[in-house]
PDB file of all heavy atoms in Angstrom:
ATOM      1  N   ALA A 160     -30.849  12.545  15.751  1.00 95.00           N
ATOM      2  CA  ALA A 160     -31.095  13.988  15.752  1.00 95.00           C
ATOM      3  C   ALA A 160     -30.212  14.606  14.680  1.00 95.00           C
ATOM      4  O   ALA A 160     -29.352  13.941  14.086  1.00 95.00           O
ATOM      5  CB  ALA A 160     -30.784  14.585  17.121  1.00 95.00           C
ATOM      6  N   TRP A 161     -30.435  15.894  14.457  1.00 97.00           N
ATOM      7  CA  TRP A 161     -29.645  16.647  13.494  1.00 97.00           C
ATOM      8  C   TRP A 161     -29.175  17.942  14.128  1.00 97.00           C
ATOM      9  O   TRP A 161     -29.817  18.466  15.043  1.00 97.00           O
ATOM     10  CB  TRP A 161     -30.465  16.942  12.226  1.00 97.00           C
ATOM     11  CG  TRP A 161     -30.745  15.710  11.442  1.00 97.00           C
ATOM     12  CD1 TRP A 161     -31.647  14.724  11.743  1.00 97.00           C
ATOM     13  CD2 TRP A 161     -30.095  15.292  10.249  1.00 97.00           C
ATOM     14  NE1 TRP A 161     -31.600  13.733  10.803  1.00 97.00           N
ATOM     15  CE2 TRP A 161     -30.665  14.051   9.875  1.00 97.00           C
ATOM     16  CE3 TRP A 161     -29.103  15.851   9.443  1.00 97.00           C
ATOM     17  CZ2 TRP A 161     -30.256  13.377   8.736  1.00 97.00           C
ATOM     18  CZ3 TRP A 161     -28.695  15.166   8.312  1.00 97.00           C
ATOM     19  CH2 TRP A 161     -29.264  13.944   7.962  1.00 97.00           C
ATOM     20  N   ALA A 162     -28.063  18.430  13.666  1.00 98.00           N
ATOM     21  CA  ALA A 162     -27.517  19.689  14.156  1.00 98.00           C
ATOM     22  C   ALA A 162     -27.406  20.675  13.001  1.00 98.00           C
ATOM     23  O   ALA A 162     -26.955  20.325  11.908  1.00 98.00           O
ATOM     24  CB  ALA A 162     -26.147  19.472  14.783  1.00 98.00           C
ATOM     25  N   VAL A 163     -27.839  21.898  13.252  1.00 98.00           N
ATOM     26  CA  VAL A 163     -27.617  23.017  12.337  1.00 98.00           C
ATOM     27  C   VAL A 163     -26.467  23.832  12.913  1.00 98.00           C
ATOM     28  O   VAL A 163     -26.539  24.303  14.052  1.00 98.00           O
ATOM     29  CB  VAL A 163     -28.862  23.895  12.199  1.00 98.00           C
ATOM     30  CG1 VAL A 163     -28.603  25.021  11.178  1.00 98.00           C
ATOM     31  CG2 VAL A 163     -30.063  23.074  11.785  1.00 98.00           C
ATOM     32  N   LEU A 164     -25.414  23.982  12.164  1.00 98.00           N
ATOM     33  CA  LEU A 164     -24.203  24.652  12.625  1.00 98.00           C
ATOM     34  C   LEU A 164     -24.102  26.016  11.973  1.00 98.00           C
ATOM     35  O   LEU A 164     -24.255  26.137  10.755  1.00 98.00           O
ATOM     36  CB  LEU A 164     -22.975  23.821  12.261  1.00 98.00           C
ATOM     37  CG  LEU A 164     -23.025  22.347  12.668  1.00 98.00           C
ATOM     38  CD1 LEU A 164     -21.905  21.578  11.985  1.00 98.00           C
ATOM     39  CD2 LEU A 164     -22.949  22.200  14.171  1.00 98.00           C
ATOM     40  N   ALA A 165     -23.862  27.035  12.786  1.00 98.00           N
ATOM     41  CA  ALA A 165     -23.742  28.394  12.248  1.00 98.00           C
ATOM     42  C   ALA A 165     -22.549  29.073  12.901  1.00 98.00           C
ATOM     43  O   ALA A 165     -22.401  29.060  14.121  1.00 98.00           O
ATOM     44  CB  ALA A 165     -25.022  29.194  12.516  1.00 98.00           C
ATOM     45  N   ARG A 166     -21.713  29.675  12.063  1.00 95.00           N
ATOM     46  CA  ARG A 166     -20.504  30.339  12.558  1.00 95.00           C
ATOM     47  C   ARG A 166     -20.300  31.639  11.801  1.00 95.00           C
ATOM     48  O   ARG A 166     -20.318  31.665  10.570  1.00 95.00           O
ATOM     49  CB  ARG A 166     -19.283  29.443  12.374  1.00 95.00           C
ATOM     50  CG  ARG A 166     -17.976  30.086  12.827  1.00 95.00           C
ATOM     51  CD  ARG A 166     -16.800  29.149  12.587  1.00 95.00           C
ATOM     52  NE  ARG A 166     -15.557  29.722  13.066  1.00 95.00           N
ATOM     53  CZ  ARG A 166     -14.730  30.465  12.333  1.00 95.00           C
ATOM     54  NH1 ARG A 166     -15.047  30.723  11.068  1.00 95.00           N
ATOM     55  NH2 ARG A 166     -13.614  30.944  12.851  1.00 95.00           N
ATOM     56  N   ILE A 167     -20.108  32.713  12.553  1.00 91.00           N
ATOM     57  CA  ILE A 167     -19.719  33.971  11.946  1.00 91.00           C
ATOM     58  C   ILE A 167     -18.199  34.064  11.992  1.00 91.00           C
ATOM     59  O   ILE A 167     -17.557  33.362  12.772  1.00 91.00           O
ATOM     60  CB  ILE A 167     -20.379  35.164  12.662  1.00 91.00           C
ATOM     61  CG1 ILE A 167     -20.104  35.114  14.167  1.00 91.00           C
ATOM     62  CG2 ILE A 167     -21.880  35.185  12.379  1.00 91.00           C
ATOM     63  CD1 ILE A 167     -20.683  36.294  14.912  1.00 91.00           C
ATOM     64  N   PRO A 168     -17.594  34.905  11.139  1.00 91.00           N
ATOM     65  CA  PRO A 168     -16.122  34.896  11.026  1.00 91.00           C
ATOM     66  C   PRO A 168     -15.423  35.542  12.217  1.00 91.00           C
ATOM     67  O   PRO A 168     -14.831  36.616  12.113  1.00 91.00           O
ATOM     68  CB  PRO A 168     -15.874  35.663   9.722  1.00 91.00           C
ATOM     69  CG  PRO A 168     -17.072  36.536   9.562  1.00 91.00           C
ATOM     70  CD  PRO A 168     -18.228  35.758  10.128  1.00 91.00           C
ATOM     71  N   ILE A 169     -15.536  34.871  13.352  1.00 88.00           N
ATOM     72  CA  ILE A 169     -14.836  35.285  14.566  1.00 88.00           C
ATOM     73  C   ILE A 169     -14.079  34.070  15.089  1.00 88.00           C
ATOM     74  O   ILE A 169     -14.688  33.041  15.377  1.00 88.00           O
ATOM     75  CB  ILE A 169     -15.816  35.777  15.647  1.00 88.00           C
ATOM     76  CG1 ILE A 169     -16.533  37.051  15.186  1.00 88.00           C
ATOM     77  CG2 ILE A 169     -15.088  36.030  16.972  1.00 88.00           C
ATOM     78  CD1 ILE A 169     -17.593  37.540  16.145  1.00 88.00           C
ATOM     79  N   GLY A 170     -12.769  34.188  15.193  1.00 83.00           N
ATOM     80  CA  GLY A 170     -11.977  33.094  15.754  1.00 83.00           C
ATOM     81  C   GLY A 170     -11.895  33.237  17.267  1.00 83.00           C
ATOM     82  O   GLY A 170     -11.623  34.324  17.781  1.00 83.00           O
ATOM     83  N   LEU A 171     -12.130  32.151  17.971  1.00 88.00           N
ATOM     84  CA  LEU A 171     -12.020  32.151  19.429  1.00 88.00           C
ATOM     85  C   LEU A 171     -10.964  31.117  19.824  1.00 88.00           C
ATOM     86  O   LEU A 171     -11.290  29.935  19.964  1.00 88.00           O
ATOM     87  CB  LEU A 171     -13.366  31.824  20.075  1.00 88.00           C
ATOM     88  CG  LEU A 171     -14.396  32.942  20.151  1.00 88.00           C
ATOM     89  CD1 LEU A 171     -15.682  32.436  20.796  1.00 88.00           C
ATOM     90  CD2 LEU A 171     -13.857  34.136  20.924  1.00 88.00           C
TER      91      LEU A 171
END
Side-chain angles (χ1 to χ4, degrees):
W161 291 75
V163 183
L164 309 167
R166 178 181 183 269
I167 53 178
I169 295 175
L171 281 179

